[in-house]
Each structure stands twice: as C-alpha cells, then as structure tokens.
C-alpha cells in the first residue's frame, strides 16, 4: 500500500522478476517491512529498520548517503539478518512544483516539509523547490506532533499526504489534503 512499495514491485516486474509469496509479513511503521520469502528472512526499509533489527549496513551506508544527496530515498535490503543490497528511488519532481511553491510564497504561505526520508534527501528536494523548512526522519506520530505544534503556535495548517505514514498528520491538520493516488486510510 506504500507508494515506494508500488514503485519497487513495478520496477521488479518490468525487469522480469517474479514476485514471490511472503509469509510472516510485518510492517514496521515509518521504517520498512520484513517477512519470510522462500524460507529466508528478508527486510527492506530505511536505516531505522536496520537499527531496529540490529543489522550493520556496512559499506552500504556510504552509498546510501550518496543516493540521498541526489534526492533519492535509500532503502536497505537484508537477507537472513545481513545487509544484502540497497535500492535508490526518486520521485520525479513535477515541472509545476517549483512554480506552485513560489505562488504559495507570494501569498505568504510558509511551506514545511514533514518526511520520513533522511534529512539529506529532504534537503536536496527542498533546495530544488524553495521549501522553507524541512523536518526529516519522522515517524507518523512525529508528523502529527509537528502539525499540532504549528497549530499551538497559532498557525492554520494544511497538510498534504499520500500514505499510511501521513494519516495521523492529515487528521490533525486544519485542512487535510489526501492525494488521489494515496492509500485508503490517507483519503
């Protein structure tokens, strides 16, 4: 149900990979997923899932930071509790996004990016778009708390999001904008 999961599955299928059955599936909210695939324990997610599972990223950590500096989300893959690979996924920035941010700025709107992505990735994207502030490495409850704090400071908050990780913040915001391609819970 996560947009990144859809991108990974679509990319694997485009390359002719078969999607194997998974058992013992577990979603680690804001971190990634794990399960058993063909008898092997597999985990996929951000650095926090490796921390949670006690897995050392080793040399993959440096490559992940390179991907992040390019605006990509770096996702680690572990097989049988050992680092096995790294995926870099990037949402292409729509041509109209920077203009939309500029128009919002002209209307006096402050733009804050709340993301589960790493600070490096978020800053790279924010720089391209002219976003005012970045709060990164956030779990879903952190996003809702940040929205609440902005409201307590007297701000009217509109939150746009597309996934399970955004649902608590969308509900907390004065205006919740669920993307049309988002998950059912976000909408």
């Amino acid at each position: 149900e996560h947009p990144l999961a859809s991108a990974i599955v679509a990319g694997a299928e485009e390359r002719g990979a078969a999607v194997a059955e998974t058992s013992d599936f577990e979603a680690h909210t804001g971190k990634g997923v794990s399960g058993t695939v063909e008898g092997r324990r597999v985990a996929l997610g951000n650095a926090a899932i490796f921390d949670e599972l006690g897995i050392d990223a080793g040399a993959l950590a440096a490559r992940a930071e390179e991907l992040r500096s390019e605006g990509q989300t770096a996702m680690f893959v572990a097989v049988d509790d050992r680092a096995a690979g790294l995926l870099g996924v990037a949402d292409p920035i729509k041509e109209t996004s920077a203009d939309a941010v500029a128009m919002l700025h002209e209307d006096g709107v402050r733009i804050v990016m709340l993301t589960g992505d790493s600070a490096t990735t978020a800053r790279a994207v924010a720089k391209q778009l002219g976003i005012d502030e970045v709060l990164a490495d956030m779990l879903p409850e952190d996003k809702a708390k940040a929205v609440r704090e902005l409201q307590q400071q007297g701000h009217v908050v509109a939150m746009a999001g597309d996934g399970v990780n955004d649902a608590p913040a969308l509900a907390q915001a004065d205006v919740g904008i669920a993307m049309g391609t988002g998950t059912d819970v976000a909408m």
Side-chain angles (χ1 to χ4, degrees), residues 20-26 33-42:
E21 289 296 317
T22 302
S23 61
D24 304 321
F25 178 83
E26 186 177 351
V33 295
S34 62
T36 302
V37 180
E38 297 180 351
R40 301 182 82 179
R41 187 81 182 139
V42 177

Side-chain angles (χ1 to χ4, degrees), residues 1-3 6 91 94 161-164 178-184 186-187:
E1 62 190 18
H2 194 283
S6 298
D91 279 329
K94 293 181 181 165
D162 66 357
V164 172
M179 303 301 172
T181 58
T183 61
D184 290 341
M187 292 200 231

